[in-house]
Amino acid sequence: MIKVLLADDQALVRGAMAALLDLEPDLKVVAEVGRGDEVVAAAAASEPDVALLDVEMPGLDGVAAARALLQAQPAVRVLMVTTFGRAGYLRQAMAAGASGFVVKDTPARQLADAVRRVHEGLRVVDPALAAQSLAQGDSPLTDRETGVLRAARDGGTVADIARELHLSEGTVRNHLSAAIGKTGARTRAEAVRLAVENGWLLT
């Protein structure tokens, strides 16, 4: 029996996945959580073989949760399951130690097979995402530009971002300008949107 932990902030999606996986004779959902910062504790209590983690959750995003889980329990296999089929998310998830990455509209039988394959030590990656990831390459942003765009997500002023990051306003403007150029955006808001869509702002 393969024990599975589910982490997804959408209760309806989480419940549906749990019900579908529990129909499989060799899979058993042993824990369900709705926040990324609940994953490690839930795994300690339930000792899963495989953790299915959503990418975008409150508390900790799925990539950071995967990293924390694998530090605490290296034997657990992580399968990222997300609505957001973006190549940047895939690269970051794999770098964090995830064994697989599939989108939520994956048919139930394929999702169950992905859990089994990951449990066996194989890698499972959505083929379209894998191709997109290879074509797209890594983030063009420096760590500082990434940090400035991450701070800009909330819509604060340059002065707000400068205060938050302990930088001068001129330095923040320079990093924003560089990030806008590198993303091909016309505005700061568009640069943030493009960076989020490509998975470049995950922690």
Side-chain angles (χ1 to χ4, degrees), residues 55-56 61-64 67 80 82 84-98 100-101 103 125-126 128-141 146 150 193-203:
V55 168
E56 292 202 351
D61 65 57
V63 173
R67 197 176 294 117
M80 305 300 294
T82 185
F84 305 97
R86 296 176 185 147
Y89 289 168
L90 167 61
R91 284 192 302 277
Q92 291 192 25
M94 294 314 211
F101 197 105
V103 290
V125 178
D126 180 272
L129 262 184
Q132 184 187 353
S133 179
L134 288 171
Q136 205 171 61
D138 292 330
S139 171
L141 304 172
T146 300
R150 203 177 278 137
R193 180 181 61 76
L194 290 167
V196 166
E197 286 177 359
N198 284 300
W200 297 335
L201 298 189
L202 289 174
T203 51

Side-chain angles (χ1 to χ4, degrees), residues 2-202:
I2 301 170
K3 295 184 291 182
V4 179
L5 178 150
L6 289 179
D8 192 304
D9 62 328
Q10 296 178 333
L12 192 61
V13 172
R14 192 172 68 242
M17 278 199 297
L20 289 169
L21 292 174
D22 274 338
L23 291 174
E24 300 292 324
D26 58 336
L27 304 181
K28 179 174 178 54
V29 175
V30 294
E32 295 180 47
V33 297
R35 296 176 54 91
D37 53 7
E38 296 173 345
V39 169
V40 172
S46 62
E47 298 183 342
D49 300 304
V50 177
L52 272 70
L53 308 182
D54 185 21
V55 168
E56 292 202 351
M57 293 184 285
L60 274 181
D61 65 57
V63 173
R67 197 176 294 117
L69 174 58
L70 291 168
Q71 283 175 350
Q73 295 191 41
V76 175
R77 304 286 185 189
V78 173
L79 178 62
M80 305 300 294
V81 185
T82 185
T83 308
F84 305 97
R86 296 176 185 147
Y89 289 168
L90 167 61
R91 284 192 302 277
Q92 291 192 25
M94 294 314 211
S99 298
F101 197 105
V102 295
V103 290
K104 282 184 185 171
D105 60 5
T106 299
R109 188 166 298 285
Q110 286 181 25
L111 180 60
D113 285 343
V115 170
R116 292 183 188 102
R117 291 174 65 199
V118 162
H119 180 251
E120 290 167 9
L122 302 172
R123 283 210 183 270
V124 177
V125 178
D126 180 272
L129 262 184
Q132 184 187 353
S133 179
L134 288 171
Q136 205 171 61
D138 292 330
S139 171
L141 304 172
T142 65
D143 287 347
R144 183 61 82 185
E145 290 159 1
T146 300
V148 168
L149 276 189
R150 203 177 278 137
R153 260 193 303 209
D154 299 329
T157 65
V158 167
D160 294 334
I161 296 168
R163 262 193 308 278
E164 181 182 334
L165 300 179
H166 308 290
L167 298 171
S168 73
E169 291 183 27
T171 300
V172 168
R173 282 193 197 92
N174 288 341
H175 288 309
L176 285 172
S177 177
I180 288 167
K182 287 179 181 179
T183 57
R186 289 169 300 184
T187 65
R188 179 174 84 176
E190 187 181 5
V192 169
R193 180 181 61 76
L194 290 167
V196 166
E197 286 177 359
N198 284 300
W200 297 335
L201 298 189
L202 289 174

